[in-house]
């Protein structure tokens, strides 16, 4: 679920940071603020977790899920 949310937020960040897309879709344009790098890190963290969590599980998420949720919340605000 985190990966899907990060992809959705990344798409919105890309569209609002691109002048022509934002004009075409009639949404406000914002200059890039570096959220794309954070979202790529979140996607990489979740994919890495899923890779190492196949049977038998080697890594358990624990408090990592809290940090991923905090990263998504920070980027969304």
């Amino acid at each position: 679920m985190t990966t899907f949310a990060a992809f959705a937020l990344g798409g919105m960040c890309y569209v609002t940071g691109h002048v022509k897309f934002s004009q075409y879709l009639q949404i406000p344009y914002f200059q890039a603020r570096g959220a794309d790098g954070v979202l790529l890190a979140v996607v990489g963290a979740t994919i890495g977790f899923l890779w190492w969590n196949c049977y038998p599980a080697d890594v358990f998420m624990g408090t990592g899920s809290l940090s991923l949720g905090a990263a998504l919340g920070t980027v969304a605000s």
Side-chain angles (χ1 to χ4, degrees), residues 5-74:
F7 274 127
L9 285 173
M12 287 186 277
C13 287
Y14 180 75
V15 168
T16 58
H18 196 275
V19 176
K20 292 190 180 191
F21 286 151
S22 62
Q23 287 176 352
Y24 178 73
L25 296 173
Q26 298 178 353
I27 57 175
Y29 167 72
F30 298 106
Q31 288 183 334
R33 298 185 302 182
D36 297 337
V38 173
L39 291 172
L40 286 175
V42 168
V43 169
T46 55
I47 290 173
F49 167 71
L50 290 174
W51 179 263
W52 287 105
N53 202 27
C54 62
Y55 182 80
D58 293 333
V59 177
F60 295 98
M61 184 57 89
T63 57
S65 60
L66 294 173
S67 62
L68 289 174
L72 287 176
T74 302

